[in-house]
């Protein structure tokens, strides 16, 4: 072992600039009274209705209007929310292959405040023969829409739309509803 001699070197001091100032968060619609929450919901519903009609994000199914995922994402922005895919898993059910996705809903500070799962498999009538990447993407879309639905469907109903995201209304779902009637 070699013995050290001489003076110890002083650590080099690096000038570190302070972190940049954090952006000021816009006011979140976490309101004090139920009346204020409902009023913000009504204003959000009116604006959402205008935006989705302009964007063509409405799907008419058997005379009822359902919103596409883009509309749910837009509404989420009014409340400072977004979705993040947490996980996507490949699944097989017999000959049917596809994906299951799990998403989280994040608030403006990145805190998880909700989430949901969604699935898309090759045995669904609209998805037979489609490439796996498309099934994976739809699983994520359905999970995101479902997660936002759990938090924001009351506003969608105030706007006059059905609370189920359009991506969840498959031919199989329609057949089940018809058989119950």
């Amino acid at each position: 072992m070699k013995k050290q001699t001489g003076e110890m070197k002083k650590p080099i001091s690096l000038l570190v600039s302070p972190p940049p100032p954090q952006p000021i968060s816009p006011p979140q619609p976490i309101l004090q009274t139920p009346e204020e929450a409902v009023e913000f919901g009504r204003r959000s519903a009116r604006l959402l209705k205008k935006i989705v009609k302009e964007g063509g994000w409405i799907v008419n199914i058997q005379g009822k209007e359902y919103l596409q995922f883009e509309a749910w994402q837009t509404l989420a922005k009014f409340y400072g929310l977004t979705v993040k895919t947490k996980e996507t898993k490949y699944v097989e059910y017999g000959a049917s292959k596809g994906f299951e996705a799990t998403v989280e809903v994040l608030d403006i500070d990145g805190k998880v405040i909700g989430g949901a799962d969604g699935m898309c498999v090759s045995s669904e009538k609209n998805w037979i023969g489609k490439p796996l990447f498309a099934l994976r993407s739809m699983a994520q879309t359905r999970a995101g829409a479902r997660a936002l639905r759990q938090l924001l469907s009351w506003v969608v109903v105030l706007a006059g739309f059905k609370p189920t995201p359009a991506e969840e209304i498959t031919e199989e779902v329609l057949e089940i509803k018809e058989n119950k009637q």
Side-chain angles (χ1 to χ4, degrees):
M1 201 178 203
K2 197 174 184 182
K3 189 176 180 181
Q4 287 187 339
T5 58
E7 293 181 29
M8 293 206 48
K9 292 184 178 179
K10 291 183 180 179
I12 297 174
S13 172
L14 298 175
L15 293 176
V16 178
S17 57
Q22 295 299 314
I24 296 172
S25 297
Q28 292 190 39
I30 300 173
L31 305 168
Q32 300 301 314
T33 68
E35 292 82 7
E36 290 171 323
V38 170
E39 181 53 34
F40 187 82
R42 284 185 179 139
R43 287 193 332 232
S44 297
R46 284 191 298 273
L47 182 57
L48 179 69
K49 193 170 197 168
K50 179 181 178 216
I51 291 170
V52 299
K53 287 186 186 236
E54 288 171 2
W57 299 333
I58 303 167
V59 177
N60 189 306
I61 302 172
Q62 296 181 341
K64 297 175 182 159
E65 293 183 320
Y66 297 85
L67 297 181
Q68 293 177 319
F69 184 46
E70 294 84 356
W72 290 95
Q73 289 175 304
T74 300
L75 178 57
K77 292 298 179 193
F78 298 171
Y79 287 84
L81 305 175
T82 192
V83 292
K84 171 185 154 190
T85 301
K86 182 178 179 183
E87 178 182 32
T88 306
K89 297 187 293 194
Y90 177 78
V91 294
E92 288 186 14
Y93 297 99
S96 186
K97 299 172 172 105
F99 289 89
E100 180 177 21
T102 301
V103 303
E104 296 174 329
V105 178
L106 308 176
D107 69 9
I108 199 160
D109 297 318
K111 183 175 135 197
V112 176
I113 63 161
D117 297 322
M119 186 180 293
C120 186
V121 292
S122 60
S123 60
E124 295 178 44
K125 288 182 182 176
N126 289 342
W127 294 95
I128 294 171
K130 299 284 170 78
L132 286 177
F133 76 86
L135 299 172
R136 183 177 187 180
S137 179
M138 181 50 78
Q140 293 171 351
T141 298
R142 287 177 178 169
R146 181 174 293 144
L148 293 174
R149 178 221 193 280
Q150 291 172 357
L151 297 170
L152 300 170
S153 61
W154 67 279
V155 180
V156 168
V157 171
L158 285 174
F161 302 106
K162 300 305 282 181
T164 304
E167 291 81 4
E168 289 191 26
I169 307 295
T170 63
E171 288 185 36
E172 291 81 3
V173 170
L174 292 173
E175 289 171 7
I176 291 169
K177 284 183 179 183
E178 287 173 2
N179 290 337
K180 284 184 179 180
Q181 292 176 354

